[in-house]
Amino acid sequence: MTATAIPLDHTLTLVSDTAINIYHFSPSGQVAATIGTKNGPVSAPVFSWRVASADCIEIAGSDGHVERWINIRIEGDLLHAECNGFARTFTIRKLSP
């Protein structure tokens, strides 16, 4: 796996008033996710991920659906990326031991 801007062994939480998107990227190529809507249904799938370039990753589900995060950049404790055409901002938090 090549270098990426994604902080491994950290939790990324989408900044949103309505959606829940929480990701934990592991160095092994898996990402545990919590996805859903606030006050609505939530699921916790495990996806695979790979580095496509220094500022792009691909997250793949078991159904073959691939989500691309491009133009990834980190500013302090925020990660910004374009995810399938939508600008998204995530907070970055180190996992507790």
Side-chain angles (χ1 to χ4, degrees):
M1 197 169 291
T2 61
T4 180
I6 295 292
L8 302 177
D9 294 326
H10 285 70
T11 299
L12 302 180
T13 303
L14 179 67
V15 176
S16 172
D17 292 332
T18 58
I20 296 172
N21 283 238
I22 303 169
Y23 298 93
H24 172 75
F25 290 85
S26 74
S28 68
Q30 291 189 317
V31 56
T34 303
I35 300 170
T37 56
K38 292 183 179 176
N39 300 317
V42 176
S43 65
V46 175
F47 300 117
S48 61
W49 73 278
R50 72 175 195 88
V51 175
S53 69
D55 69 346
C56 176
I57 64 165
E58 294 178 338
I59 301 172
S62 60
D63 61 357
H65 174 76
V66 176
E67 181 173 292
R68 291 178 57 88
W69 291 18
I70 62 171
N71 301 321
I72 298 167
R73 68 185 194 291
I74 294 176
E75 296 174 350
D77 65 350
L78 297 176
L79 181 140
H80 304 279
E82 185 179 320
C83 306
N84 290 349
F86 296 96
R88 292 189 182 163
T89 299
F90 297 87
T91 59
I92 303 169
R93 186 174 45 89
K94 179 71 176 163
L95 293 176
S96 301

